Amino acid sequence: MAPFRGKRRGGGSFGNRSHYKKHGGAAGLKPADATFEKKLHGKDFDKVEEQPSEDEESEEDDTSRVRPYNALLDQLKARKSANGRSSKKRKLNGAEVLREPLQNDKKQPNLVFDPTDGLEPGSKGVDAVLDEPEGSVMDDDGSLGSESEPEQVAADTVKPDLFEAHQSVSDSLVLARRLAAAEDAPWSYTIIDKVENKAVTQREDIIKHSHPYAQSQQDMRHLSLRGSTPVGLSSVKLKKKVIEQATRWNIDLKAVSPVLRMGLFDYRDVIFPCRTVENAILAQQLTCIQCLNHVISNRDKILKNNTRLAHSENGELELRDRGFTRPRVLFLLPTRQACARIVKLISALYGAEQEENKKRFEKSFTSADEIFSEDKPLDFRDLFGGNDDDMFRIGLKFTRKTMKYFSPFYTSDIILASPLGLKLAIGSDDVKDYDYDFLSSIEIVVIDQADALLMQNWEHVETIFEHLNLVPKESHGCDFNRVKHWYLDGKARYLRQTIILSAFQTPELKRLVNTQTKNLDGRLELCPKFDGAILDFQIRIKQTFVRFEATTPLDDPTARFNQFTSAIVPSIVRLASANKSNKAGILIFIPSYLDFVRIRNYFTTSTATQNIPFGSISEYSEVPEMTRARSHFFTGQNSVLLYTERAHHFRRFQIRGVKHIFMFGLPENPVFYREIVGGYLSKSVGEGRVMEGEVSCKSMFSRYDTMKLERIVGSSRYLNMVFDRGGDTFDFV
C-alpha cells in the first residue's frame, strides 16, 4: 500500500450518538455523569478517598518496614550459606538466565472465557508457565534463584523474559547511541510473512544491527523477533498470576494474526487494521494479557528492589525501576460499553479476591436498555449496544489481592478513557487546571476501535499523544533516585509500545503512527489485500468512478467542489427534470460535514438547482428533521436527499426510494459502500420501484483517496485508476 499524506476534511466533533447537535464538541458537550464536573486530580477525583485495604501495597514506597516474607528470605539465605551452596546460573545468548525446575511446569485446568457470560468450563488444557518457582530464594545480587539445584535444562526450552529484555536499556549512553543510530538510518519495510492473502510487514529498525552476535540477515531477522514465534501461551514467559487465569481462556495463538502473535508480547508497536467483530475478542484478550503482565512485572520488580535496598549494607545501590508517576497503561476507547468489556477482561484475568467500587462501575458504564433490531448490522450493534456515551475516564489500581475501580489517576496502574474524556481531564494550557503529568510514565498505549474514534473528534487523540511521556511539571512525591534514565533524559517515548486495533487504515492513523510511534524495538503492521466492495452486490449496478485532479491535499476540497458543480450537477438536473411526474430518487452521499454545508448552500442559492426540491440528513440533524426528510424523499416530494457519512455511521438508516446515487467522496468504511449502493438500490429493485438496469452510482475520487479506493474497487485495480492517463472515467457493471 503506497503511503501518502492526506488531511480529513471536516472533523466536526460530537458526542453521544443520540444527541449530535446538543453535544457538538468538547466545548458544547456536557458530561452525562456528574462525576465529570469534578476535578481529575487525585484527592478530589469523584471524591474517592484512599481507604487503605488490608493488603494495601504501600511497601512500594516503604523500604524500612520488615515483613515476614523478608524474614523468611533471611532464613533461607542463612540456610543456603550454611550448606555452602548457591543457585547456579547459565548463559543464554550472552545474557544471564536462571534455571527453572522442570517439575514446576504443571498442567492447569482450562476454562473457555466468554466476555459476556463469564468463565465457563472447557475441555482442553494448556501448559502453565511459572515465572517464580516455589522454594526460590533471593541471591546476593538480587536475582531470583532456586533453593535446590534443578536438572539441566536445554537452552532452546528456556523462555526469554521479554519484559526484562525491553527494560534492559539501563545505560543512558547505550540508549543515546541507539537513538543516534536510529536517526541516522531511515526506517524501511521488509516483508516477513504472507498468510491468507495478506502481507505482513515489519518496519526494520537499526537496532537489529546493534546486536554484536548477528552475523547474517537471517540472524538479524531472528533477533528482531527475539526468538521463535509463540504458538501458545505456554511459549510466552508471563507472570504466574497472569498465566493461571489466562490458561482458562483456551486461547489458540495459531488462530491469531502473525502481527499480534509476533509483536504484542515482543513489546513492538502493533498496527492491526483488520479488526472485526469476530476477531475482536481474541485481540482484546491478548492485549489485556500483555498490559496486565506489564503492570504486575513492574510492581514485582519494584518490590524486589525494595527488599534489596532494605538488606544492602551501605544502602547505596542504584536501582532504576520507576517512572515519574504510577500509571503505566492507557486505553483509548470509543464508548462506556467498550470500556466495560475491557475492564471485565482485565478483572477476569487478574482474579482479585476483592473488587472495590465494582457496583458503582457497573451502574455507570453498563446498560442493557438499548437493544437494536436484527436489521441493524452486526458491527453497529457491537459498537453502540449498551451504554454508548463517549464521555468517560476511569483509573484502575491493583494491589496484591484487590482491584480498585475509580482510583485517582496518580495512584492508578491503568487508565481507560475516551479521547474526549481524557482531553477534558488534561484541559488547555490557558486554564489553571492544565495537568498532563499523569501521562508522563505511560509505557503501553492501546487504541481499540480506532475507526470509531475517527468518527468522533480525532484531534483529541492527537492532543493526547502530544502530551504522552513529557517531563512532569511537579514531582508528585517521585523518588528521582529510582527513576529510569530514559525518563530523566526525556526519551521515554522511544520505549513506549503502541497497539492500534482498527477496522481499516486511514491517512489520519498513518500520520499518527509516523509521527508519534518511535519505539526502538520496531513496528509490526498488517497490510491487507482487498477484493473490493464493488463485487458484493446481488444485482447488476452500473458503477462509475470519475477522477479529478488536485495539486495538493489543501486544494482537494475546492477541486472536488468545482468538479461536482461542473460535471455532476448537470446530470442531477437532467434526472430530476426527466422524473417530474415520477420519483427521481437521487441520493448524494457526502463524507465531510463541511462539504455537506457547502453543497446544501449551493442547492439553496444556485440558479442551476433552484427548481430541484431537496432534503438533508447530517449528524447534527434532529430526529424530527431526519424523519421528515426521509418521508418526503420516499414519497417524491423531494427529488434529492443530501446524506453525510457520519449520519450513516451513527444511524445506519435503511433509506427507501433510492434510484441513483452520487458520491461526492468515497466512504472511509467499505461496509458503508455495500450498504448504501448495494443495499439501497437492491431494496428499490426488489420493491419494484425501478428496473435493475436503470439504477446507477457515480463516485468522485482523486489521488488522495487511494486508501478508500483500494478498499472499494480492490487491490488489483486501484493503482491503474489513480495513475491511468488514458482517461478519467471508469465503469464497472
Side-chain angles (χ1 to χ4, degrees), residues 544-548 560 563 567-568 698-702 721 728-731:
T544 303
F545 295 84
V546 180
R547 187 184 65 204
F548 66 93
R560 188 181 299 269
Q563 175 74 13
I568 304 298
K698 181 176 288 188
S699 306
M700 299 167 53
F701 74 95
S702 71
M721 296 173 62
D728 55 9
T729 303
F730 307 88
D731 293 323

Side-chain angles (χ1 to χ4, degrees), residues 208 211 213-224:
K208 295 201 306 188
H211 294 283
Y213 44 90
Q215 303 296 328
S216 65
Q217 185 69 22
Q218 183 178 2
D219 292 337
M220 289 187 291
R221 177 185 179 279
H222 176 79
L223 292 171
S224 69

Side-chain angles (χ1 to χ4, degrees), residues 170-364:
S170 58
D171 190 343
S172 59
L173 296 178
V174 174
L175 178 60
R177 287 196 296 268
R178 293 175 64 183
L179 291 174
E183 293 175 356
D184 293 340
W187 287 31
S188 61
Y189 283 96
T190 299
I191 294 181
I192 60 175
D193 195 8
K194 290 184 178 180
V195 56
E196 295 181 357
N197 202 31
K198 295 178 175 64
V200 182
T201 62
Q202 180 191 23
R203 190 160 195 172
E204 285 188 339
D205 130 27
I206 195 66
I207 303 173
K208 295 201 306 188
H209 302 276
S210 65
H211 294 283
Y213 44 90
Q215 303 296 328
S216 65
Q217 185 69 22
Q218 183 178 2
D219 292 337
M220 289 187 291
R221 177 185 179 279
H222 176 79
L223 292 171
S224 69
L225 297 179
R226 296 218 185 109
S228 60
T229 303
V231 295
L233 288 180
S234 59
S235 60
V236 182
K237 186 177 179 63
L238 300 173
K239 303 300 290 185
K240 176 181 178 180
K241 187 179 185 66
V242 176
I243 200 65
E244 287 179 346
Q245 298 294 329
T247 50
R248 303 182 179 185
W249 292 357
N250 208 16
I251 296 177
D252 181 13
L253 289 186
K254 295 180 181 179
V256 183
S257 168
V259 168
L260 297 175
R261 202 164 66 234
M262 293 186 293
L264 204 59
F265 299 111
D266 209 19
Y267 280 92
R268 299 183 182 276
D269 291 340
V270 175
I271 316 300
F272 186 67
C274 299
R275 184 190 186 277
T276 63
V277 178
E278 291 75 17
N279 64 23
I281 296 299
L282 188 54
Q284 290 171 345
Q285 288 175 345
L286 295 178
T287 301
C288 291
I289 289 175
Q290 165 69 352
C291 293
L292 193 55
N293 183 75
H294 183 78
V295 169
I296 297 176
S297 298
N298 263 300
R299 184 192 64 186
D300 289 354
K301 185 174 183 179
I302 291 175
L303 295 179
K304 291 176 183 178
N305 286 340
N306 287 346
T307 302
R308 293 178 61 186
L309 288 173
H311 291 82
S312 61
E313 296 181 357
N314 50 19
E316 296 181 357
L317 288 176
E318 183 179 0
L319 301 175
R320 301 287 181 174
D321 54 11
R322 300 189 181 187
F324 294 115
T325 55
R326 178 164 178 166
R328 288 292 181 269
V329 179
L330 172 65
F331 279 86
L332 294 179
L333 304 164
T335 65
R336 286 182 178 243
Q337 195 67 40
C339 177
R341 295 192 193 103
I342 294 296
V343 172
K344 191 171 184 179
L345 288 172
I346 294 175
S347 174
L349 179 63
Y350 191 67
E353 297 181 6
Q354 178 183 357
E355 296 186 350
E356 299 182 14
N357 301 325
K358 182 176 181 179
K359 290 184 178 180
R360 175 188 170 194
F361 171 79
E362 292 176 346
K363 182 178 179 180
S364 301

Side-chain angles (χ1 to χ4, degrees), residues 150-188:
E151 301 178 15
Q152 182 66 28
V153 183
D156 57 356
T157 63
V158 176
K159 307 167 186 66
D161 191 332
L162 299 181
F163 170 80
E164 290 297 337
H166 182 68
Q167 301 284 333
S168 61
V169 189
S170 58
D171 190 343
S172 59
L173 296 178
V174 174
L175 178 60
R177 287 196 296 268
R178 293 175 64 183
L179 291 174
E183 293 175 356
D184 293 340
W187 287 31
S188 61

Side-chain angles (χ1 to χ4, degrees), residues 59 101 154 157 211 330 342 362 377 386 409 477 480 483 550 610 633 644 689 708:
E59 63 266 28
T157 63
H211 294 283
L330 172 65
I342 294 296
E362 292 176 346
F409 277 7
F480 290 93
V483 175
Q610 61 183 357
F633 180 74
T644 65
R689 302 180 183 278
K708 302 177 183 179

Side-chain angles (χ1 to χ4, degrees), residues 40-56:
L40 170 68
H41 308 299
K43 59 184 180 181
D44 53 11
F45 175 75
D46 290 326
K47 292 186 177 181
V48 176
E49 298 182 358
E50 283 296 300
Q51 300 295 336
S53 306
E54 295 181 0
D55 63 324
E56 189 71 37

Side-chain angles (χ1 to χ4, degrees), residues 38-106:
K38 306 169 185 178
K39 293 183 180 180
L40 170 68
H41 308 299
K43 59 184 180 181
D44 53 11
F45 175 75
D46 290 326
K47 292 186 177 181
V48 176
E49 298 182 358
E50 283 296 300
Q51 300 295 336
S53 306
E54 295 181 0
D55 63 324
E56 189 71 37
E57 294 191 52
S58 59
E59 63 266 28
E60 292 189 11
D61 300 311
D62 185 6
T63 60
S64 60
R65 187 171 59 182
V66 179
R67 297 182 185 77
Y69 177 72
N70 296 338
L72 176 61
L73 290 180
D74 293 338
Q75 294 178 8
L76 292 174
K77 282 186 178 181
R79 183 186 304 174
K80 179 184 68 173
S81 301
N83 295 335
R85 295 188 304 179
S86 61
S87 299
K88 293 189 177 181
K89 306 167 187 175
R90 53 189 174 77
K91 297 284 184 176
L92 179 65
N93 291 337
E96 203 170 44
V97 180
L98 296 167
R99 291 193 244 167
E100 295 180 339
L102 291 175
Q103 58 267 26
N104 283 329
D105 290 338
K106 302 177 182 178

